[in-house]
């Protein structure tokens, strides 16, 4: 019997515990699962594609049948290139359904042999989204329940660094004065 391979496409900016939960579930029903990070030139992400790839690789290193890749362009073209038979997507709540249905049907129109498989993450992750995680972390709120420890650290480093570079540090003021004087 042929091996069943699925891609799990998304932005993963950043990966959340909900994404990890879905990867665990997907890895149990497919022979191979490729987490496929979209390179989207129209968006300015918080984490670069390379950072996201490295983070997801570290977080999924325990799974023998999961690998991480990046792609540009249409999901169906990427799926065809890697010979995937299915696209895995998560549905957290009914509010996700309309968009996901539209995307699944459009993908089917573009590539009829590619199936979309929806899975639900654990209900306690049903309210977790990368967008809310970014927003909470940017304002210094706690995200430990929403993302793995590694991501929490990276968020702290990212926003700590952003704050530091924005703060009118005493030393830089002194520097400016010196520059004005010189
Ligand atoms: O994590 P996201 O942002 O919800 O993932 C959305 C993603 C990447 C799956 C979707 O935007 C996508 O497939 N983009 C690639 C371009 C494409 O194929 N567009 C047509 C979709 S019907």
């Amino acid at each position: 019997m042929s091996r069943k391979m699925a891609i799990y496409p998304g932005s993963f900016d950043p990966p959340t515990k909900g994404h990890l939960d879905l990867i665990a579930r997907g890895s149990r029903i497919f022979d191979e699962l490729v987490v496929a990070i979209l390179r989207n030139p129209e968006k300015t992400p918080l984490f670069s594609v390379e950072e996201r790839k490295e983070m997801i690789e570290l977080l999924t290193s325990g799974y023998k049948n999961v690998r991480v890749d990046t792609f540009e362009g249409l999901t169906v073209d990427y799926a065809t290139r890697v010979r995937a038979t299915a696209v895995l997507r998560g549905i957290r709540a009914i509010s996700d359904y309309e968009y996901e249905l539209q995307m699944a049907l459009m993908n089917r129109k573009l590539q009829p042999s590619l199936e979309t498989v929806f899975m639900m993450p654990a209900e306690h992750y049903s309210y977790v989204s990368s967008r809310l995680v970014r927003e909470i972390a940017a304002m210094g709120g706690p995200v430990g329940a929403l993302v793995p420890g590694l991501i929490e650290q990276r968020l702290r480093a990212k926003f700590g660094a952003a704050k530091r570079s924005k703060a009118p540090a005493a030393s830089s003021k002194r520097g400016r004065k010196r520059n004005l004087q010189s």
Side-chain angles (χ1 to χ4, degrees):
M1 218 175 84
S2 65
R3 283 171 61 79
K4 295 281 175 232
M5 195 243 257
I7 59 165
Y8 176 26
S11 309
F12 307 103
D13 187 32
T16 66
K17 285 189 178 177
H19 291 131
L20 266 289
D21 180 282
L22 215 75
I23 291 170
R25 290 172 199 278
S27 76
R28 288 196 289 268
I29 64 165
F30 294 106
D31 297 310
E32 190 181 353
L33 181 66
V34 182
V35 181
I37 307 165
L38 175 68
R39 271 182 201 279
N40 189 346
E42 282 167 25
K43 274 195 189 170
T44 310
L46 176 62
F47 291 100
S48 72
V49 167
E50 288 69 31
E51 286 174 315
R52 282 175 273 161
K53 182 166 186 278
E54 188 233 355
M55 292 188 289
I56 302 173
E57 275 170 351
L58 288 170
L59 293 167
T60 58
S61 61
Y63 299 98
K64 283 202 174 80
N65 63 340
V66 174
R67 66 183 172 88
V68 189
D69 197 6
T70 65
F71 75 104
E72 270 170 88
L74 290 176
T75 292
V76 291
D77 289 342
Y78 173 74
T80 306
R81 210 162 51 242
V82 296
R83 295 171 194 273
T85 48
V87 175
L88 174 66
R89 289 286 290 172
I91 291 201
R92 292 163 296 188
I94 202 74
S95 49
D96 283 339
Y97 181 73
E98 209 171 322
Y99 170 64
E100 293 297 333
L101 176 72
Q102 188 183 19
M103 208 156 56
L105 294 178
M106 186 60 81
N107 281 338
R108 181 184 283 166
K109 182 88 188 153
L110 295 168
Q111 178 53 268
S113 64
L114 188 66
E115 288 297 339
T116 297
V117 174
F118 293 125
M119 295 185 86
M120 282 85 65
E123 55 277 17
H124 47 272
Y125 298 136
S126 61
Y127 60 93
V128 179
S129 77
S130 296
R131 186 180 64 77
L132 288 180
V133 165
R134 288 197 302 272
E135 194 173 308
I136 295 165
M139 294 179 189
V143 291
L146 316 175
V147 294
L150 168 81
I151 308 298
E152 192 184 8
Q153 283 168 20
R154 299 287 175 97
L155 283 165
R156 224 179 279 137
K158 188 96 19 194
F159 288 115
K163 261 191 207 146
R164 280 196 297 281
S165 70
K166 269 191 201 153
S171 60
S172 64
K173 266 190 195 156
R174 273 203 301 277
R176 264 210 307 277
K177 252 189 204 157
R178 263 206 300 277
N179 283 344
L180 288 173
Q181 281 163 0
S182 62

